[in-house]
Amino acid sequence: MNSPVPPRKPIPQQQRTSISSKDEIEAVLRTRSMLISGYVTQIIQIETGLTQKRVRSISHDLQREGLFVERRSRTLRSSKTIIQGQASKVHASILMVLYQNLGGSPTINTINTTALTKSYSLYLAILQELPESDQKSWGEKLSISDAWALAREIRTKDAAVLNCKSCKAEYFEAVHESTNLDCPFCRPLFPSSMLSNQVELPVSNRVELTA
Ligand SMILES: [Zn+2]
């Protein structure tokens, strides 16, 4: 007699009564701010609880108002695709050390998007001061969404900011990154021409980035 109970369909956002109009307004304002900062839709959905359709509609509203919203085709990445070598590990380390310094210890249990957005602005400013290199990867900056992905890995304990015993710099280390390198600051950044034979450069050529 008992027929199996079909799984419940998720309740559409607009029918949920738990979200008050105040929460809705806050979610919309946060979405606008995150869109302007350049976060991908997927992250905004996770952070605000709004549907993809709603986020896109807010994005269109912003554009109609003449506000710049960068169109990003890039989807959400992880440290596996973000950290492919020394240069990207230096980038990730600068960004995540700034984030942990600004966000403090709560960043271990939660993603602080305010601290993240602020640290991303500082990271962009620091990029202007980086020494020159002919390595293509050296000039490839991380996106704000990459920053969020790395921050999430800190929260899920798949990554952490560690202290290097050798050079004492702090650096970002992820379980799933695509490099076996530990501290990215302990060795010079090789110009592309030297990558093939891995010639050791003198320590004086080491990239000092933790000013
Ligand atoms: Zn080191």
Side-chain angles (χ1 to χ4, degrees), residues 164 167 183 185-186:
C164 174
C167 75
C183 171
F185 300 112
C186 263

Side-chain angles (χ1 to χ4, degrees), residues 38-65:
Y39 287 95
V40 293
T41 307
Q42 197 184 340
I43 295 174
I44 300 173
Q45 284 179 254
I46 295 168
E47 286 286 337
T48 63
L50 297 183
T51 61
Q52 187 184 54
K53 201 175 159 192
R54 187 84 176 96
V55 173
R56 288 203 174 139
S57 148
I58 296 166
S59 174
H60 290 144
D61 288 345
L62 280 174
Q63 286 167 68
R64 268 197 296 275
E65 292 166 30

Side-chain angles (χ1 to χ4, degrees), residues 162-183:
L162 304 179
N163 271 298
C164 174
K165 288 190 178 76
S166 174
C167 75
K168 314 293 179 208
E170 289 178 296
Y171 67 98
F172 180 80
E173 176 83 5
V175 174
H176 304 293
E177 63 185 46
S178 298
T179 169
N180 292 323
L181 192 68
D182 292 324
C183 171

Side-chain angles (χ1 to χ4, degrees), residues 14-27:
Q14 59 269 28
Q15 287 178 19
R16 291 185 191 181
T17 51
S18 59
I19 294 191
S20 68
S21 57
K22 184 170 170 280
D23 289 340
E24 169 76 9
I25 291 166
E26 276 173 6

Side-chain angles (χ1 to χ4, degrees), residues 23-185:
D23 289 340
E24 169 76 9
I25 291 166
E26 276 173 6
V28 170
L29 288 175
R30 196 149 173 240
T31 298
R32 287 171 65 95
S33 159
M34 290 183 80
L35 280 166
I36 292 167
S37 296
Y39 287 95
V40 293
T41 307
Q42 197 184 340
I43 295 174
I44 300 173
Q45 284 179 254
I46 295 168
E47 286 286 337
T48 63
L50 297 183
T51 61
Q52 187 184 54
K53 201 175 159 192
R54 187 84 176 96
V55 173
R56 288 203 174 139
S57 148
I58 296 166
S59 174
H60 290 144
D61 288 345
L62 280 174
Q63 286 167 68
R64 268 197 296 275
E65 292 166 30
L67 286 162
F68 176 72
V69 177
E70 199 176 328
R71 307 298 296 167
R72 285 171 194 276
S73 55
R74 262 180 26 184
T75 48
L76 190 51
R77 303 199 291 169
S78 71
S79 59
K80 192 174 173 60
T81 46
I82 296 170
I83 303 176
Q84 304 262 5
Q86 186 188 8
S88 48
K89 189 153 181 174
V90 167
H91 279 252
S93 294
I94 295 171
L95 189 47
M96 287 298 105
V97 168
L98 285 168
Y99 169 60
Q100 283 226 316
N101 285 338
L102 287 171
S105 49
T107 53
I108 293 174
N109 300 313
T110 181
I111 302 175
N112 180 338
T113 52
T114 307
L116 199 60
T117 307
K118 216 178 270 183
S119 56
Y120 188 72
S121 301
L122 283 168
Y123 160 71
L124 291 183
I126 288 171
L127 285 193
Q128 310 295 321
E129 307 298 328
L130 290 191
E132 299 256 329
S133 167
D134 69 344
Q135 262 198 54
K136 191 173 166 279
S137 56
W138 189 235
E140 286 173 354
K141 67 172 194 274
L142 305 184
S143 71
I144 185 85
S145 299
D146 291 336
W148 187 91
L150 299 180
R152 181 168 65 172
E153 288 179 28
I154 290 178
R155 195 201 63 195
T156 58
K157 314 285 183 280
D158 287 314
V161 169
L162 304 179
N163 271 298
C164 174
K165 288 190 178 76
S166 174
C167 75
K168 314 293 179 208
E170 289 178 296
Y171 67 98
F172 180 80
E173 176 83 5
V175 174
H176 304 293
E177 63 185 46
S178 298
T179 169
N180 292 323
L181 192 68
D182 292 324
C183 171
F185 300 112

